[in-house]
Amino acid sequence: MSDTQGKVITCKAAVAWEAGKPVSIEEITVDPPQAGEVRIKVLYNALCHTDLFTLSGDDPEGDFPVILGHEGGGVVESVGEGVTDVKVGDHVVPLYTAECRECKFCKSGKTNLCSAVRATQGKGVMPDGTKRFKCKGKELLHFMGCSTFSQYTVVSKYSVVAITDKAPLDKACLLGCGLTTGYGAATKTANVQEGDNTAIFGLGAVGLAVVQGCKVRKAKQIIAIDTNDRKEEWARSMGATDFINPTKLPEGKTIVDVLVEKTDGGCDHTFDCTGNVNVMRQALEACHKGWGVSTIIGVAAAGKEIQTRPFQLVTGRKWQGSAFGGVKGRTELPGLVDDYLAGKLTVDDYVTHRTSLDEISKGFDYMHGGDCIRCVVDMWA
Ligand code: NAD
Ligand code: DAO
Ligand code: ZN
């Protein structure tokens, strides 16, 4: 039993007070976990663009003040009543896509989306409708059911999974979002098959993990596309067979023309990992007539809409989306950690930058720089 069990903990957190303003490091209080909840000592976070996106005010569900962060890893400090799957001392990864195993979605066998905590998670509160964080007399909202930019956080028992303590948490935390999302999108949602021709738009952590997924499935062509030439080496190191910078195409050609020519009629699978709705259209239209499938992974800014001519769909191209790579976190994430430890899934290379909680804003600057795949924040440095 930890000596903090049942007590309010005072610790440091990065608080986002309002959209468009940098986060500030504050002393906050974290209440004990209630029934069905888990309090986690957060050790590491990987910074993901989705946190920046919310901070900038582009997230349609974003509200303030809030503790952001959803790609983290830590150790269970205490658990509330009715928590059996994780125990004090377990190494855990919080899950922004919960898994209750009991709701209509979980039981459908058709999706990894779960409805158990969906409504309250979207409102930034715990499943009982209340919050666990306070700062300067104000309650702070939770974020994506995780709020890992705090040295301690409280999550629902459905939003956390225990992993082996053999996996270094400063790397395994990346499986809490970007890596699992991309790898799962290729291997589960799209279910890429041997010999497929594939194209991946956007080569951040998510796109590079799609590349890895296509490679593991023995895709024939893995065409990596990014406006940043520095991503070519990255993509090839993960298994890409080709790289195209769409701003440097032959005169009069579009990226769709180039991809259709390169793949003898279009791709079997394309993936949007940019969040740009114009790119999403290109990705669909670069699919092979009759069977090509385009998977949208990128999250577009509030109010954006996708467009294409319906004839693109009438003639057999399909549009689909993928959240957290179609992966059921509590059931399947430990297997991905095993793959990582067995050397089947590259994770370490994605950590290009490191910082501390006090200097988390530096991490956000690295992310804007174009050379940062993931910046890992040591929450206790
Ligand atoms: P990132 O910003 O690191 O990577 C995006 C890449 O896209 C960059 O390399 C950038 O140069 C490139 N890019 C930008 N515009 C482009 C264009 N017009 N054509 C080609 N490339 C272009 O982001 P990330 O962390 O890899 O995340 C990628 C996207 O996935 C984001 O939109 C993020 O919000 C989303 N996401 C979705 C899920 C999900 O579950 N669906 C999970 C995590 C992240
Ligand atoms: O169940 O209705 C629902 C929504 C589930 C949320 C899926 C989130 C996908 C994108 C998240 C951005 C990356 C962290
Ligand atoms: Zn469920």
Side-chain angles (χ1 to χ4, degrees):
M1 195 172 102
S2 60
D3 56 4
T4 45
Q5 195 163 347
K7 297 180 186 154
V8 173
I9 292 178
T10 300
C11 66
K12 279 197 295 186
V15 178
W17 289 105
E18 54 182 307
K21 294 270 167 65
V23 293
S24 66
I25 306 304
E26 309 277 6
E27 193 169 90
I28 66 155
T29 59
V30 184
D31 288 341
Q34 299 303 302
E37 298 177 0
V38 179
R39 189 160 62 182
I40 301 167
K41 179 175 183 177
V42 181
L43 299 183
Y44 296 100
N45 263 287
L47 300 184
C48 168
H49 291 258
T50 309
D51 302 303
L52 270 182
F53 196 63
T54 303
L55 191 59
S56 67
D58 277 335
D59 176 354
E61 284 194 348
D63 213 348
F64 296 85
V66 62
I67 297 183
L68 299 171
H70 65 284
E71 194 170 315
V75 177
V76 173
E77 175 273 335
S78 61
V79 299
E81 259 174 59
V83 176
T84 49
D85 270 21
V86 299
K87 58 182 188 315
V88 174
D90 278 354
H91 286 208
V92 290
V93 172
L95 301 167
Y96 68 86
T97 301
E99 183 191 357
C100 77
R101 299 181 177 144
E102 285 152 23
C103 73
K104 181 179 180 185
F105 289 82
C106 283
K107 289 204 287 202
S108 71
K110 298 176 184 175
T111 179
N112 66 327
L113 299 180
C114 165
S115 62
V117 299
R118 176 61 207 143
T120 48
Q121 177 172 320
K123 290 184 187 132
V125 294
M126 295 303 290
D128 70 358
T130 62
K131 310 177 194 87
R132 304 284 167 268
F133 305 119
K134 278 193 206 77
C135 181
K136 297 178 177 163
K138 287 201 175 97
E139 288 193 325
L140 306 174
L141 289 164
H142 295 248
F143 177 66
M144 293 179 78
C146 297
S147 287
T148 47
F149 290 169
S150 171
Q151 289 176 321
Y152 285 88
T153 190
V154 180
V155 303
S156 152
K157 65 178 179 180
Y158 300 137
S159 306
V160 61
V161 61
I163 62 164
T164 169
D165 60 11
K166 292 194 182 82
L169 275 170
D170 63 330
K171 316 282 179 12
C173 63
L174 272 66
L175 289 165
C177 181
L179 265 168
T180 301
T181 295
Y183 191 75
T187 58
K188 289 183 64 84
T189 311
N191 195 12
V192 169
Q193 299 294 305
E194 184 167 355
D196 280 350
N197 290 327
T198 63
I200 300 96
F201 292 76
L203 303 168
V206 173
L208 291 171
V210 173
V211 170
Q212 277 202 71
C214 292
K215 160 112 173 155
V216 97
R217 286 302 178 87
K218 301 192 169 74
K220 183 172 156 207
Q221 285 179 295
I222 305 174
I223 307 170
I225 301 151
D226 204 294
T227 47
N228 177 352
D229 282 329
R230 299 194 299 279
K231 295 296 174 86
E232 174 167 7
E233 204 180 323
W234 273 103
R236 290 195 188 275
S237 76
M238 297 292 162
T241 57
D242 302 78
F243 174 83
I244 303 174
N245 182 330
T247 65
K248 297 180 179 170
L249 300 174
E251 186 77 23
K253 299 267 186 195
T254 66
I255 184 70
V256 173
D257 297 335
V258 171
L259 287 170
V260 168
E261 277 169 26
K262 242 177 148 36
T263 54
D264 187 26
C267 303
D268 301 300
H269 284 282
T270 65
F271 300 85
D272 168 70
C273 311
T274 69
N276 176 323
V277 293
N278 301 317
V279 172
M280 292 174 191
R281 177 176 193 155
Q282 295 163 357
L284 176 82
E285 297 180 359
C287 282
H288 203 289
K289 182 175 170 179
W291 64 75
V293 180
S294 186
T295 303
I296 294 179
I297 308 171
V299 177
K304 294 285 183 189
E305 294 184 355
I306 47 171
Q307 283 192 324
T308 192
R309 297 206 174 128
F311 204 63
Q312 293 284 336
L313 305 182
V314 168
T315 49
R317 294 169 195 83
K318 291 195 176 76
W319 234 338
Q320 65 178 5
S322 180
F324 198 41
V327 169
K328 285 176 178 272
R330 286 170 65 213
T331 303
E332 295 176 320
L333 198 121
L336 287 178
V337 175
D338 291 345
D339 287 350
Y340 159 50
L341 292 176
K344 295 180 196 160
L345 177 62
T346 299
V347 177
D348 295 4
D349 295 353
Y350 287 71
V351 182
T352 52
H353 294 71
R354 287 183 182 269
T355 191
S356 60
L357 175 59
D358 286 337
E359 302 206 287
I360 195 169
S361 290
K362 264 195 190 167
F364 290 137
D365 293 342
Y366 296 144
M367 290 163 76
H368 287 304
D371 285 310
C372 178
I373 304 298
R374 280 294 190 257
C375 176
V376 168
V377 183
D378 183 335
M379 298 297 289
W380 295 86

